[in-house]
Amino acid sequence: MKTALALRHVPFEDLGLLAPLLQQRGYSVRTHDAGVGPLEDSLHPEPDLLVVLGGPIGAFDETAYPFLTDTLALLRERLARRLPVLGICLGAQLMARALGAGVAPMRRKEIGFAPLALTPRGERSVLAPLAQGTPVLHWHGDQFEIPPGAENLASTPLCPHQAFAVGTHALALQFHLEADLSRIEQWLVGHACELAAAGVDLQALRSGAREHGSALARAAEAVFGAWLDGIGGGHA
């Protein structure tokens, strides 16, 4: 059986909609909570797929959060070997750093629902189902540069680098396509301080989750399904 390891930073930013897609494709999924025990202990046997999830810390915060050093080392090693890696939000930023690109704060946070503008390469990528302007969930205050050898796939007016791919084995998404929006209240509680400091309208997030949840679930199935099939994770 194929295995997938999810590297999680806060409990509610989990695999979400990705979990059933992985199960459908015959993956056994295990989770490592970052900073809780050595990462090395979760790497045996070596996973076929590594998914690095989001979180409220910075991709450049290894002085404050030393476990990030091990995450970056793991990403560098897997990417050098062209082993499948999916990074979401913080995970995408860590992938960018592992590939030699910068990550830095934006002029303001991008939190809420907004559509993506796909690049020509993005329109031919697994992100094609998002080309019709379906608003996705954005929740970040930092942004990555596009690493050497990678391809920029999408942008928003506030954040020109929303996704990149390296070959077919590595995909990095700044936005949260994996989020199960029926559980948006967990995000609102877990990030209450950040939302208050940024002056974000909670009712707008709730309304967006209700309005776009079904369409985004279908888009997530299409995007992640195509990517998993492309790395050899077809239906069992």
Side-chain angles (χ1 to χ4, degrees):
M1 177 178 283
K2 299 185 293 291
T3 59
L5 174 64
L7 183 52
R8 184 173 64 181
H9 299 90
V10 288
F12 57 87
E13 292 197 38
D14 55 17
L15 286 170
L17 299 172
L18 253 174
L21 298 178
L22 289 168
Q23 292 164 0
Q24 291 165 14
R25 285 162 173 77
Y27 282 89
S28 172
V29 179
R30 60 185 191 266
T31 300
H32 174 84
D33 285 308
V36 182
L39 177 57
E40 180 70 21
D41 291 351
S42 295
L43 298 177
H44 303 289
E46 182 177 58
D48 297 287
L49 168 63
L50 175 67
V51 183
V52 185
L53 295 164
I57 62 177
F60 38 73
D61 283 348
E62 62 263 40
T63 299
Y65 300 97
F67 62 79
L68 289 175
T69 301
D70 292 334
T71 305
L72 286 164
L74 174 61
L75 284 168
R76 291 186 183 105
E77 188 266 341
R78 284 189 67 93
L79 290 165
R81 294 170 59 199
R82 301 183 67 82
L83 297 177
V85 177
L86 172 64
I88 296 172
C89 199
L90 171 62
Q93 295 164 10
L94 289 166
M95 284 177 64
R97 279 201 61 194
L99 289 165
V103 178
M106 300 166 60
R107 63 181 184 273
R108 62 181 175 86
K109 290 181 180 291
E110 185 175 39
I111 300 176
F113 291 91
L116 298 166
L118 299 188
T119 66
R121 179 64 184 88
E123 292 175 349
R124 301 190 303 273
S125 76
V126 296
L127 298 189
L130 299 173
Q132 301 308 312
T134 300
V136 299
L137 177 61
H138 303 275
W139 203 306
H140 62 111
D142 299 331
Q143 62 179 328
F144 53 71
E145 297 298 324
I146 300 300
E151 298 174 284
N152 188 24
L153 304 180
S155 68
T156 60
L158 186 60
C159 182
H161 301 150
Q162 286 280 353
F164 67 82
V166 181
T168 59
H169 65 284
L171 179 66
L173 306 179
Q174 182 61 74
F175 51 95
H176 286 279
L177 192 59
E178 88 295 350
D180 179 352
L181 296 179
S182 69
R183 293 164 44 207
I184 191 66
E185 210 66 26
Q186 290 180 299
W187 290 62
L188 303 187
V189 172
H191 291 308
C193 293
E194 178 186 27
L195 292 169
V200 175
D201 184 345
L202 301 189
Q203 293 305 324
L205 286 174
R206 291 184 176 110
S207 297
R210 289 192 299 269
E211 180 180 356
H212 305 301
S214 295
L216 281 173
R218 292 191 295 271
E221 182 175 7
V223 170
F224 289 132
W227 187 73
L228 290 170
D229 293 345
I231 62 170
H235 290 276

